[in-house]
Amino acid sequence: MNFLENIKVALNSIRENTLRTVLTALIIAIGIMALVGILTAVDGIQASVNDSFADLGANSFDIGQKTAQNKHQRGGRKKPVSPPIRHYEAKELKQKMSFSGVIGISVFVTFNAEVKYGSISTNPNSQVLGIDENYLGQQGLEIKFGRNLFAQEVENGAATAIIGSEIADKLFPKSNPINRFITMLGKRYQVVGVLEKKGGNMGGAVGDRSVLIPLENARTVLRSEDISFDIKVKVLNPAEFNQVMDEARGLMRKIRHDLPNTEDSFEIKKSETLAESMGEVTGYLKIGGFLVGFITLMGASIGLMNIMLVSVTERTREIGIRKALGATPRRIQEQFLIEAIVICQLGGVAGIIFGILAGNGVAQLLGSQHFFVPWFWMFVGVVVCIIVGVIAGFYPSYKASRLDPIEALRFE
């Protein structure tokens, strides 16, 4: 009896015991479904989280003036230790970057502006920023009323402004602020948009007491050579993040004429994102999911071993006949191992299909918009099924191969 004949015998035995095979394969399928399903759900959720955080400014980094912490200053404020980043340097970087992404330029104007409309005025604690047309999208800010700044307004320095929700509530409690004129810093600005309420000042970033004006207009307000512009680079493809950051560093060094073997005359900071923290969490979830699936499969392997032992007992006389006809112990062992592996693979295929559907279903319920096909975990599932089949079938097949043919033929 050769190997191919053994496969045929094993398959015939599986067909003759269809119900038992199906029930046993279902035990394996449940284990594989738990393994593949949990890991698929985690991967689908992770992909959705990455997309969501990418829209909120994740996968981005900032380029700004190099600063140092001054311990002698009150509040531990930072002071510049390198020349400011000029407007033309920021624009040149924006023009020369070759990656598929978005570059935004902004400049801080003041944090104690008083904004007026008619006889109503805010407290002198409003923050004013000069921005370009890409700024809102990079910061994850949304317009509640009105619109974003146009690129032409940014280039021409138009006297338009986007105001925070707190300023809008203060100056326009019962009217629509769009197209109304406010006064601040000695100039009149037409309100073209109102930001969605954020709450607080977001740690010094754009908050509800902020006014955003076109970048060129902000330059005319400041009129200082010491102005340093901030650059935010958002990478659309997270896989290219390090490459894009290296390209930006190289271009910036060239633009600012940094000498070889010297430190950068600017500062690059990778944005701290929730996506990174979520990546750690999902990593733990994957480990937990793998352990749950592994434990379930261990239980399934014990059930399969029990079924195979029953099968050996039922077919003791058949084993004796095969041995009497010349079958070696190795061939007998192969026959039962093949049966165990085939049953595991049948359950594995069903488990993988159910796991993909269940995992994506859970991910969809939790807000994912992706249908994720986990090729890696599918491969892992197939390999695990083979291992479980070998482990569960080894002892029963070994027991079958060691049966005495004379005693087996007497078995009733």
Side-chain angles (χ1 to χ4, degrees), residues 38-39 42 45 278-291:
I38 293 173
L39 297 174
V42 171
I45 294 168
M278 182 58 74
E280 296 180 5
V281 173
T282 52
Y284 292 127
L285 287 176
K286 285 182 180 180
I287 294 173
F290 187 85
L291 290 175

Side-chain angles (χ1 to χ4, degrees), residues 261-288:
N261 301 322
T262 60
E263 292 185 355
D264 298 335
S265 62
F266 52 91
E267 204 168 43
I268 294 184
K269 293 182 179 179
K270 181 179 177 181
S271 299
E272 295 181 3
T273 66
L274 291 175
E276 294 176 351
S277 300
M278 182 58 74
E280 296 180 5
V281 173
T282 52
Y284 292 127
L285 287 176
K286 285 182 180 180
I287 294 173

Side-chain angles (χ1 to χ4, degrees), residues 34-350:
L35 177 66
V36 175
I38 293 173
L39 297 174
T40 301
V42 171
D43 284 341
I45 294 168
Q46 179 66 57
S48 177
V49 167
N50 289 340
D51 289 347
S52 299
F53 286 144
D55 293 337
L56 297 176
N59 303 318
S60 61
F61 57 90
D62 299 283
I63 304 175
Q65 185 177 17
K66 183 174 285 189
T67 58
Q69 192 79 18
N70 190 337
K71 296 180 181 179
H72 300 290
Q73 282 185 300
R74 188 176 179 181
R77 289 174 292 178
K78 295 180 180 180
K79 73 173 186 177
V81 295
S82 68
I85 295 178
R86 311 294 184 188
H87 181 246
Y88 74 88
E89 293 174 338
K91 289 190 69 174
E92 187 175 350
L93 178 70
K94 187 175 182 179
Q95 293 167 358
K96 289 185 175 180
M97 286 290 285
S98 61
F99 75 103
S100 57
V102 180
I103 296 181
I105 304 173
S106 62
V107 64
F108 178 74
V109 179
T110 182
F111 60 85
N112 57 2
E114 183 182 44
V115 187
K116 297 181 179 180
Y117 173 70
S119 60
I120 308 174
S121 63
T122 66
N123 294 326
N125 60 357
S126 297
Q127 177 179 260
V128 181
L129 291 172
I131 66 167
D132 65 5
E133 68 280 6
N134 297 327
Y135 185 83
L136 295 187
Q138 289 183 320
Q139 297 293 335
L141 299 171
E142 295 182 0
I143 296 290
K144 183 178 182 180
F145 302 117
R147 60 172 176 82
N148 189 12
L149 298 177
F150 293 138
Q152 187 176 1
E153 289 176 324
V154 174
E155 289 293 328
N156 297 336
T160 53
I162 299 172
I163 60 176
S165 61
E166 188 174 323
I167 295 176
D169 293 340
K170 175 71 174 179
L171 301 182
F172 308 97
K174 297 181 180 179
S175 59
N176 188 350
I178 303 303
N179 295 326
R180 303 292 178 89
F181 287 88
I182 59 175
T183 303
M184 66 175 184
L185 305 175
K187 291 191 174 186
R188 292 177 75 241
Y189 291 89
Q190 183 181 17
V191 178
V192 297
V194 177
L195 295 174
E196 284 279 5
K197 186 177 181 63
K198 286 287 185 180
N201 271 332
M202 299 171 62
V206 177
D208 298 331
R209 294 195 299 270
S210 298
V211 181
L212 310 178
I213 60 177
L215 196 64
E216 288 293 333
N217 189 286
R219 292 181 65 204
T220 63
V221 172
L222 288 166
R223 295 180 182 177
S224 171
E225 294 183 359
D226 294 330
I227 305 169
S228 185
F229 290 80
D230 296 311
I231 306 166
K232 191 175 190 70
V233 182
K234 179 180 177 181
V235 185
L236 298 183
N237 184 1
E240 299 175 352
F241 186 88
N242 292 329
Q243 178 184 347
V244 173
M245 193 158 62
D246 290 340
E247 180 189 358
R249 175 178 279 112
L251 282 173
M252 205 62 188
R253 287 184 62 88
K254 184 177 180 181
I255 291 169
R256 289 172 65 84
H257 305 291
D258 290 350
L259 296 176
N261 301 322
T262 60
E263 292 185 355
D264 298 335
S265 62
F266 52 91
E267 204 168 43
I268 294 184
K269 293 182 179 179
K270 181 179 177 181
S271 299
E272 295 181 3
T273 66
L274 291 175
E276 294 176 351
S277 300
M278 182 58 74
E280 296 180 5
V281 173
T282 52
Y284 292 127
L285 287 176
K286 285 182 180 180
I287 294 173
F290 187 85
L291 290 175
V292 170
F294 179 76
I295 292 170
T296 307
L297 281 171
M298 287 297 294
S301 67
I302 294 171
L304 176 60
M305 184 182 294
N306 183 56
I307 294 297
M308 293 304 299
L309 285 171
V310 171
S311 179
V312 169
T313 302
E314 288 179 348
R315 295 160 63 187
T316 300
R317 188 174 181 82
E318 176 191 329
I319 294 168
I321 294 172
R322 292 188 185 282
K323 282 198 168 186
L325 293 175
T328 63
R330 180 180 176 183
R331 294 302 181 192
I332 297 295
Q333 189 169 10
E334 279 181 1
Q335 176 188 341
F336 284 92
L337 271 178
I338 290 169
E339 282 188 34
I341 292 172
V342 169
I343 291 172
C344 275
Q345 289 301 324
L346 290 174
V349 171

